[in-house]
Every structure is written in structure tokens, then in C-alpha cells.
Amino acid sequence: MGRKRLQEPADGRPTVHTVAARAGVSIASASRVLNGIGGSPETVRKVRAAAAEVGYVPNAIARSLQSQRTGLVALAVEDIGNPVYVEMMRAIEAVVASSGRQLLVHATGGRIDNETALLRRLANRYVDGMIVSPIRVTADHLTALVDSPVPVVVVGQLGADAAVDNVRTDSRHGVALAVDHLVASGRRRIGFVNGPLDTVPGAARDAGFRAALARHDIPLDEDLIEVGDFQYAAGRAATERLLARTDPDALVCANDLIAVGALHALLAAGRRVPQDVAVVGMDDTELARMMFPQLSSVSLGSAERGRRAAELLLQRIADPNLPPRREQVPPSLAVRASSGAALPAPRPGDPPTTHPTSEGVTS
């Protein structure tokens, strides 16, 4: 029995009819898969394989006119150069591309007016949907999110009553993991280098650090806390200010860019890492593994958060009537050389120290 003749348009390009015939499914089923709406796993597999085999390329203009969709999805983040957003973007792009759509990326600089203006421009339906990861959330944000005429998914913390799809992590618990690890290795003078306190991550990580110290009965020393920005230069400068007034035996840094700046400040000041000062970052980006010594860091699941956000967005595009969903990605700690050693015992001839050893200290 011969293969069913494939239907071709006048210009010879394969169509949805071509793909359906090659996959052995109905045109409606092939159309749903090719438009990112989905189907059974077997149907999706067959249609995608057939589309690749015949070289099917969606006609974006025709599809947009028929479906009132553009085939474009937007991602808005503070800084597209930050490794945490790079990892998130890669995961989002993979999911978006699998639906036949393209990803547009916007850098907002963390400015509230940029983010709300971008949300409001969606009224012109330039995109089918948007993923946004704001570091500050205001009443204007929430109004723009709720009023958006196209689906929006937020990566980050939102209030419990926000009627928007949301993927979050628990950075307070992430900071606690870092402090627990440092206390278990004998560190007691634990410093904290944070980003701006008027941001959602900055406020959450500050609260997490203070709560973790209290849980270990470690008195809070404000001299050991420094605030800057979530960038390398600011992290280095903040660490230099902290070292000028006090002597930590460990540092928790609010992200990996700050932690790299802290490492360089410590080494420039003649402090050995981790022997004199242990360092733990947050986000566990590629930077953490590139440093020497390699950087211990708390993963907040940036790629996983991006993947889940993209999946939620595609589901919302397919069914706008779904109830608001909220998903949480738990943090985890990767211990590497920058904090992998316990606080060393005093060497012969060293002056007495008040730093305890790790013996008897629990997490």
C-alpha cells in the first residue's frame, strides 16, 4: 500500500495538511500541536516528528490573522546580563520554541515605570503573553498585571490575593541554608552583603538572615551587614566598607555577582578564602563554578522557575479561563571550596581568638 500523497501549496511549501498526512492524524490535531495548544503525548510526538521531516515552517502572518495571535512571547527582567536571568531565559526560550513561538527579551533596569509601561503596551497585542520578573512590586504593578489584555506570568513574590499566575522561590529559606552551613563549620561572625532593601529579594533576604542568626542564638551585629546593589562592583565596594570596620569569619552574599565582588575584595585585603573568611553566594549560576576558589551558592532554581513560568503561560494562552496558579521552587545549597573548610584551629604563636571551632556546633 503506497503512502498517501502529501498536499502541497502552489509554492511547494509543506502545510498543516502535509504534516497531518505524514503524521497520520487529523488536520485539527496537527493544527493544535503546531499552534502550541497540545494534545496527547503520542500525537505531539508524531506531529513534531512529521513537521521536522517535511520541513514545515509556520506562516506567522497567516496564523496571526486566523488566530489573532502573534506567535511572540515577551520576557521582561531587570538585567539581561545577570547570569540568573540568562539561565531563566534559556529555559523559557526552550519551552516557547517547542510551541512554535519566538521569545522577545526586554531589560527594564528594575525601573517600575519601565515595567508598568511595558505591561500597558500589551494592550496593542504585540505579543501573545508575557513573563515578567520584577524586583519591586507596587500597586501600579498589580493594577497593570490584572488589567493586561494578554496573559502574564510573574516570576517572583506576589501577595496571596494577587489573581495572577506566579512562580516563586523562598529566598528567606535559602539564606537560612547558607547560615546553617556556616554555623555548622564553626563560623560565628557571619556578615551579610545584600542588595537594595526596597526590592522584594533584598527585603526577603535581609529578613531571612536576621531570623537565621536568631535561631542559632547569634547576636545581631549591624556592623556585619552591608547594603549595596545586586552587581559585581557594588558587591566589592560593600565588602570593602564592611572589612574597614569589622572582622567577619564568613560572608553570606545576596547573589553570585555580589559574592564574586566579595571574593575579590577579600583577596585584595589579604584574607584567605575559606580559611579566614568563608563565602556563600545565592543563585548558583555559572559564575559560582567559574571562580577560584569555586563558590558555594544557594540555588533558587532560576532555570526551573523559568521553565514552569513558560509552561503556565502557554497553558493560560490556550485556556484563559484557568484559575490563577501559584508554584514554588525550593532552594538548595551547593557547597564548594569557598566555604568547604571548617574554621581552622589556631596555629602556634597566633594570638588568642574568640572564634569557636566547629566542635559541638550543630545546624
Side-chain angles (χ1 to χ4, degrees), residues 199-255:
T199 64
V200 174
R205 292 166 201 189
D206 179 74
F209 179 75
R210 293 169 185 269
L213 289 187
R215 185 162 46 82
H216 287 288
D217 295 322
I218 298 176
L220 179 66
D221 182 350
E222 293 287 351
D223 281 347
L224 285 166
I225 298 177
E226 188 59 61
V227 174
D229 203 349
F230 292 113
Q231 302 293 334
Y232 162 80
R236 180 165 184 166
T239 304
E240 289 169 350
R241 293 193 298 270
L242 189 152
L243 293 176
R245 64 175 182 260
T246 191
D247 184 24
D249 60 29
L251 288 178
V252 175
C253 300
N255 74 357

Side-chain angles (χ1 to χ4, degrees), residues 187 189 243 247-251 263 266 271-279 338-339 343:
R187 315 287 170 158
R189 290 192 52 76
L243 293 176
D247 184 24
D249 60 29
L251 288 178
L263 280 175
L266 288 164
R271 310 293 178 90
R272 299 171 300 166
V273 177
Q275 292 90 340
D276 299 328
V277 184
V279 178
S338 71
S339 70
L343 192 67

Side-chain angles (χ1 to χ4, degrees), residues 37-58:
I37 296 174
S40 71
E42 181 63 13
T43 298
V44 171
R45 184 192 66 77
K46 286 181 178 179
V47 171
R48 287 181 180 171
E53 184 181 348
V54 303
Y56 171 79
V57 177

